Amino acid sequence: EYEAFLVAEKTGSFRALARDLEARGLISSERLFRAGARVTRSDPHLQTGYYSFDSRMGLLAILGKLRRGEYNRVPVVIREGADLFEVAAEAAGVKAVESAAQFLEKARARPLLEKIEKRFGIEKKLPSAEGFLYPDTYVVKKGAGFNELVELSLARFELRIAAPWRARRDEARAPLR
């Protein structure tokens, strides 16, 4: 069995993957594989991610897997009380993200923070997503799981924290009958 990472939007990554598959004996020809991708119109639909291939798979099975996005998924555990550095290390450790540094950079990026501020009605500017990543285990796309992890975690935060808090607040504000 062989595991490979495909960066679909990066020029040349499909060709490099094809060369690697040929070198490992998983396909007979890089050129035939690339031609097969064009003929089946798979090439514009390839999805980024880690994939596992084995010697029993043929050219069409490999192309189908790449087209359908049957990539590997990994569990990321966000522990209660974990800070952003610990979450980043966990995500990088299971290869959900490229690196802990990349995770930290994205978790401090203004577009994400503005999304959180708007979603939860936060009036001050947040320095990071810390505190909004709800503790739980999330299964995400290996190698490209940051967005998926954050979205799942924010949804869980909404369900467990924000929605009940808003309900209690609204109940307290309601006039007595």
Side-chain angles (χ1 to χ4, degrees):
E1 187 158 305
Y2 162 65
E3 183 177 80
F5 183 70
L6 174 67
V7 183
E9 57 282 337
K10 184 177 175 186
T11 305
S13 66
F14 182 68
R15 180 174 283 188
L17 175 63
R19 274 194 305 269
D20 205 21
L21 290 170
E22 180 183 17
R24 293 172 184 276
L26 295 171
I27 59 172
S28 59
S29 163
E30 168 203 343
R31 292 176 71 170
L32 182 61
F33 185 72
R34 290 188 2 245
R38 281 191 302 279
V39 169
T40 61
R41 298 188 179 172
S42 296
D43 49 346
H45 302 286
L46 301 176
Q47 298 186 39
T48 301
Y50 278 90
Y51 293 85
S52 293
F53 306 107
D54 67 50
S55 58
R56 297 176 304 227
M57 298 176 77
L59 179 140
L60 292 176
I62 291 172
L63 281 173
K65 192 173 205 179
L66 292 168
R67 183 184 175 116
R68 288 186 303 274
E70 291 177 15
Y71 40 73
N72 297 349
R73 300 182 71 76
V74 293
V76 178
V77 179
I78 299 178
R79 291 173 181 33
E80 191 166 338
D83 64 23
L84 201 55
F85 294 97
E86 292 167 321
V87 175
E90 168 70 19
V94 297
K95 293 187 172 32
V97 294
E98 195 173 303
S99 69
Q102 178 199 52
F103 181 98
L104 291 169
E105 181 181 322
K106 288 182 174 187
R108 293 178 178 138
R110 279 311 310 156
L112 172 62
L113 301 177
E114 288 167 0
K115 177 182 172 182
I116 293 171
E117 291 161 1
K118 182 177 179 181
R119 184 172 182 172
F120 298 112
I122 311 286
E123 293 181 15
K124 65 177 188 161
K125 289 191 182 281
L126 295 171
S128 74
E130 188 167 355
F132 292 90
L133 303 178
Y134 194 82
D136 208 337
T137 300
Y138 302 95
V139 179
V140 299
K141 188 175 178 181
K142 186 174 181 179
F146 178 83
N147 292 337
E148 189 177 7
L149 174 63
V150 168
E151 194 48 51
L152 290 169
S153 185
L154 291 177
R156 189 72 43 88
F157 182 88
E158 173 72 37
L159 181 70
R160 304 278 193 205
I161 304 293
W165 179 84
R166 281 195 290 271
R168 284 192 300 277
R169 179 199 62 197
D170 294 346
E171 187 177 296
R173 288 180 179 171
L176 296 175
R177 294 180 192 187

